[in-house]
Amino acid sequence: MSFNKSQTEAIGHTTGPMLVLAGPGSGKTTVITERTRHLILQKGIEASHILVITFTRAAAAEMKERFQGLMGRKEPVTFGTFHAVFFQILKHAYGFHGGNIAREEQRFQFIREIIQNMHLEYEDEHEFIGDLLGEISMVKNTGIRLEHYYPKNCGKEIFEQIYQGYDQRMRRHRLIDFDDMLVYCYELLKERKDILSAWQNKFRYILIDEFQDINSVQFAIMRMLALPENNLFAVGDDDQSIYRFRGAKPELMLGFEKAYPEAKRVLLDVNYRSHKEIVEASLRLISHNSERFDKIIHARQEKEVKAEGNQRRVFYHLWNGQQEEGKAIIEHILKSCRQGASYNDIAVLFRTNTQPRYFMSQLMAYNIPFRTRDNIPNLYEHWITRDLLTYIRLALGSRSRQDLLKIMNRPNRYITRESLEESDVAFDVWADYFYDKKQHWVAERIEQLEADLRVLSRLSPYAALNYIRMGIGYENFLKEYADYRRISQDNLLEVLDELQDDAQAFSSYEAWFSHMEEYTKELLEQKRRQETLTDCVSLATLHSAKGLEYPIVHILDVNEELMPYKKALLDADLQEERRMFYVGITRAKERLHVHSVKKFNGRELEVSRFISEMQGTSG
């Protein structure tokens, strides 16, 4: 096998620290496996002294298989994730075993007990607990002190109580989660020099893949383990650092040479994956980031494929809305397949997991098989949707106590639960309850609710949602709820926008409900079928597409507020958004289609600044 000049330099490196900048499609897996082989066969290093670390079990397994294929025999090199290696260290020190690792449902249950005991108010329990666990993870992964952390999902004091309650329950049950593995391992190696020394002697050569995804605690442990020889071989691409929300920062990779002034640096400067036009567009885009290593990358893609009758490889499209956009992408998919591509050759990427719902319903209508790499939430099962549908159910004649309890204080009408005793409620009897108590203003609100329901019964789905939202005041309720929970109002209002945009296509409640039922059923069926599909279009967020490649890539909704996302207000956030988009466009081998819309969920949006940056036309 032949290697280019920079690959040869990286593979031949023996002692001391080295930073390998490995852009998309530059052969980094080859470099890591070949260097490991070189250390054993050419330098006489004991295989058992070599540690190769990756971020996922799948990547570790693939790396091990590639390496053993190269060697033609099994060698005792350790291939593993950070968590697997840290757990191995803890197992030896504390006698931990698999049963000490907390299952996801145990972690959820601990948080559930804590928040129930605290009588906190929230709408979607599963979402709230997931958000809290994410924040607990962030605190542990960044090494930040709890008192210095400002949470996003609840007040500071409440979060500290939840964090400490969770920690106590975990310790009481002698359980650890994946984040504890990092924290415990760091504390152990810092306190016990004898244990540290034993592992330093064991792992004398350390190779780390996807180094841009490392967090500060992981790096601190690796620095300890690599002493005193510092044979640390870090391979990654700072331009693909997209996990800031998990504590990964490109600054750690950018600061590698500060930590190791004697480190050598090599740039794997040939992209073997993508066509030259795609590579050049990606470099024009990413050059707008200031916090990065400067790189000159060349494309080496021999295979020429006719791209829709000409030699262009990057296509920019502007559509009126999501319906037109989705239909056009489906036509492209069908055309590509007529020209010899398979569904497996095609990926459709997006920024957030709520974006592709409409497109998925279009794929279902055309019977195009697809696989989602993320959990795509069903809009019709969101708690906001359930509230609005409850209003409509009541407008259509339901008088169920359960339905009325759900919406009677959304917005707040100051109605007490005790006023509803019967399982079926008569509005006049309900109002009389408050008239008898001389609370006329509450009784009048009940009468107003009944009048609102009469109005709703005569409206189309779209007009009904608008009336609930503005006329009844549900939007204001959501804003107050968001402020109380300290979460983004925009995220909640987006659900209203999307639902209202969806309702526009239906003239009657019956037709809309029928569509919801059909979509939900089809979605479950699609999930079930995904396990057996062998030829299908891939749907993925930019995050989950990392590390993958496809001949043809479509990116949806490349608009301001979506890509870059509207929450990216600081320069560091905007640079991360640009890196995310860079990851997306560099998944494409032969053809890249970038799609923007004039209207998203009924709202006008600007085309993303990233498009002019890719084209080299921005100032």
Side-chain angles (χ1 to χ4, degrees):
M1 192 174 180
S2 61
F3 307 108
N4 65 41
K5 189 183 169 193
S6 54
Q7 286 175 331
T8 304
E9 186 185 344
I11 290 164
H13 177 74
T14 307
T15 55
M18 175 175 259
L19 180 63
V20 180
L21 300 178
S26 60
K28 68 182 177 65
T29 303
T30 298
V31 164
I32 292 169
T33 51
E34 288 287 350
R35 182 191 179 233
T36 307
R37 177 177 183 245
H38 178 81
L39 288 174
I40 296 166
L41 297 183
Q42 308 302 321
K43 298 298 175 182
I45 308 299
E46 286 284 333
S48 59
H49 287 320
I50 302 172
L51 169 63
V52 180
I53 287 197
T54 66
F55 274 80
T56 66
R57 279 189 298 184
E62 185 199 340
M63 197 86 75
K64 185 175 182 177
E65 194 179 323
R66 286 267 290 268
F67 170 70
Q68 287 180 349
L70 273 179
M71 298 297 287
R73 62 178 188 264
K74 287 188 176 179
E75 291 280 357
V77 173
T78 301
F79 288 88
T81 62
F82 279 108
H83 292 115
V85 173
F86 296 164
F87 188 65
Q88 189 183 350
I89 293 171
L90 295 174
K91 196 161 75 170
H92 281 273
Y94 298 130
F96 280 141
H97 52 79
N100 295 113
I101 303 172
R103 299 189 311 277
E104 199 65 5
E105 59 265 29
Q106 287 174 300
R107 299 173 70 227
F108 264 75
Q109 185 54 33
F110 288 160
I111 299 287
R112 187 177 289 114
E113 288 166 9
I114 295 163
I115 62 179
Q116 283 173 354
N117 291 342
M118 292 173 76
H119 303 291
L120 298 180
E121 282 185 41
Y122 45 83
E123 278 306 325
D124 188 315
E125 182 185 75
H126 195 270
E127 181 184 54
F128 184 43
I129 293 173
D131 289 343
L132 288 171
L133 284 169
E135 294 212 63
I136 289 170
S137 178
M138 182 66 150
V139 172
K140 292 178 182 179
N141 276 288
T142 50
I144 192 169
R145 289 173 61 152
L146 183 58
E147 59 268 29
H148 296 157
Y149 181 75
Y150 290 87
K152 298 187 183 81
N153 289 286
C154 58
K156 189 167 171 19
E157 282 180 27
I158 289 171
F159 179 75
E160 286 177 10
Q161 281 180 52
I162 293 169
Y163 184 100
Q164 285 156 353
Y166 173 74
D167 199 47
Q168 285 160 10
R169 277 170 167 77
M170 291 287 282
R171 288 176 189 273
R172 200 182 309 138
H173 290 84
R174 198 168 150 75
L175 290 172
I176 57 171
D177 59 25
F178 287 107
D179 306 311
D180 291 328
M181 290 179 196
L182 273 64
V183 177
Y184 287 14
C185 200
Y186 175 75
E187 289 168 354
L188 172 71
L189 297 180
K190 209 163 172 50
E191 297 299 318
R192 292 286 302 272
K193 299 301 175 198
D194 55 330
I195 291 175
L196 173 60
S197 178
W199 287 103
Q200 286 169 336
N201 289 331
K202 163 79 174 153
F203 297 135
R204 293 184 47 227
Y205 292 82
I206 300 172
L207 299 87
I208 304 175
D209 186 22
E210 303 283 11
F211 189 76
Q212 76 279 351
D213 294 336
I214 205 166
N215 65 42
S216 50
V217 181
Q218 289 165 338
F219 191 28
I221 296 170
M222 287 299 113
R223 290 193 69 184
M224 284 193 276
L225 284 176
L227 288 166
E229 294 162 305
N230 289 332
N231 294 325
L232 194 57
F233 189 79
V235 183
D237 182 8
D238 54 301
D239 290 331
Q240 294 187 71
S241 177
I242 59 171
Y243 293 112
R244 183 174 283 273
F245 67 93
R246 289 205 307 233
K249 296 175 185 170
E251 296 91 303
L252 292 169
M253 188 165 183
L254 293 167
F256 186 84
E257 289 157 320
K258 254 189 202 156
Y260 296 103
E262 75 281 22
K264 292 179 178 170
R265 188 208 297 182
V266 65
L267 168 66
L268 302 184
D269 58 354
V270 182
N271 181 322
Y272 291 94
R273 173 191 298 155
S274 302
H275 189 276
K276 183 181 178 204
E277 192 184 334
I278 297 169
V279 172
E280 288 172 352
S282 73
L283 292 172
R284 282 194 292 270
L285 169 88
I286 204 64
S287 67
H288 286 264
N289 271 4
S290 55
E291 300 295 313
R292 64 185 290 268
F293 290 111
D294 277 336
K295 307 176 189 74
I296 296 171
I297 309 281
H298 309 283
R300 174 76 63 83
Q301 207 226 42
E302 307 296 342
K303 202 167 92 176
E304 289 296 323
V305 179
K306 282 194 175 180
E308 302 183 0
N310 60 36
Q311 289 304 306
R312 275 179 62 207
R313 302 299 170 138
V314 181
F315 302 85
Y316 302 95
H317 310 276
L318 179 60
W319 309 108
N320 285 317
Q322 292 134 285
Q323 184 178 5
E324 190 176 276
E325 175 189 48
K327 194 166 183 298
I329 293 173
I330 284 170
E331 283 169 5
H332 276 296
I333 289 170
L334 296 173
K335 186 176 179 182
S336 299
C337 290
R338 285 197 298 273
Q339 292 174 343
S342 71
Y343 288 134
N344 280 338
D345 292 334
I346 302 165
V348 180
L349 310 181
F350 32 88
R351 170 66 178 82
T352 69
N353 68 345
T354 56
Q355 270 170 269
R357 185 196 61 80
Y358 191 83
F359 179 61
M360 281 162 57
S361 66
Q362 289 175 299
L363 287 172
M364 290 174 194
Y366 278 84
N367 284 322
I368 292 176
F370 63 90
R371 176 178 286 118
T372 55
R373 294 190 64 86
D374 308 81
N375 176 36
I376 309 295
N378 184 353
L379 172 71
Y380 304 132
E381 289 172 354
H382 197 285
W383 63 267
I384 291 174
T385 305
R386 291 201 298 267
D387 279 358
L388 299 177
L389 294 182
T390 302
Y391 265 109
I392 292 170
R393 227 177 9 257
L394 288 162
L396 294 177
S398 165
R399 290 297 176 263
S400 147
R401 177 177 185 269
Q402 194 179 348
D403 282 348
L404 285 162
L405 281 172
K406 191 166 181 55
I407 56 86
M408 67 185 188
N409 287 313
R410 297 179 184 193
N412 203 343
R413 299 178 178 92
Y414 301 94
I415 303 172
T416 55
R417 291 178 73 90
E418 296 73 45
S419 64
L420 285 173
E421 292 179 344
E422 304 297 322
S423 57
D424 278 313
V425 179
F427 271 86
D428 53 348
V429 175
W430 194 18
D432 284 344
Y433 174 91
F434 289 100
Y435 279 127
D436 292 345
K437 288 180 172 290
K438 309 287 188 232
Q439 293 176 326
H440 290 208
W441 59 281
V442 182
E444 284 162 8
R445 288 183 178 191
I446 288 171
E447 288 167 349
Q448 180 59 50
L449 172 59
E450 187 179 22
D452 287 334
L453 294 175
R454 277 198 297 273
V455 172
L456 287 177
S457 69
R458 300 190 293 270
L459 298 177
S460 68
Y462 178 82
L465 293 192
N466 204 47
Y467 187 79
I468 298 167
R469 185 175 182 167
M470 302 303 184
I472 293 177
Y474 188 82
E475 183 169 315
N476 284 336
F477 156 73
L478 283 186
K479 288 176 179 174
E480 286 166 14
Y481 174 76
D483 292 344
Y484 164 74
R485 270 279 317 277
R486 298 188 54 189
I487 56 177
S488 162
Q489 289 185 7
D490 286 350
N491 285 1
L492 301 182
L493 298 181
E494 266 176 20
V495 178
L496 282 181
D497 288 341
E498 191 180 353
L499 197 63
Q500 214 171 330
D501 195 52
D502 181 69
Q504 213 160 1
F506 303 93
S507 55
S508 71
Y509 293 133
E510 190 182 12
W512 194 32
F513 293 164
S514 172
H515 164 75
M516 286 183 207
E517 197 179 321
E518 191 57 40
Y519 176 80
T520 302
K521 201 161 76 182
E522 185 63 38
L523 198 61
L524 289 169
E525 178 61 24
Q526 182 67 36
K527 272 184 190 166
R528 193 185 60 75
R529 276 206 309 265
Q530 278 189 22
E531 307 304 314
T532 56
L533 287 173
T534 52
D535 186 23
C536 54
V537 175
S538 290
L539 269 58
T541 58
L542 299 175
H543 277 112
S544 64
K546 190 165 168 282
L548 304 174
E549 56 180 51
Y550 302 89
I552 304 164
V553 168
H554 293 267
I555 306 183
L556 287 177
D557 311 325
V558 184
N559 288 81
E560 292 292 314
E561 297 189 29
L562 294 166
M563 191 75 255
Y565 199 52
K566 61 189 162 199
K567 287 185 191 169
L569 302 174
L570 304 174
D571 187 53
D573 298 328
L574 183 61
Q575 293 201 41
E576 174 122 338
E577 292 289 312
R578 193 175 281 112
R579 289 194 297 271
M580 238 182 283
F581 191 55
Y582 174 78
V583 165
I585 62 184
T586 54
R587 300 310 93 202
K589 292 160 74 173
E590 293 156 15
R591 277 178 269 167
L592 171 67
H593 294 270
V594 179
H595 302 267
S596 305
V597 290
K598 292 177 184 174
K599 276 190 172 184
F600 183 81
N601 288 340
R603 285 190 313 114
E604 289 188 12
L605 291 185
E606 295 289 317
V607 169
S608 172
R609 72 194 77 178
F610 293 164
I611 288 181
S612 60
E613 292 176 4
M614 279 176 78
Q615 294 170 323
T617 57
S618 63

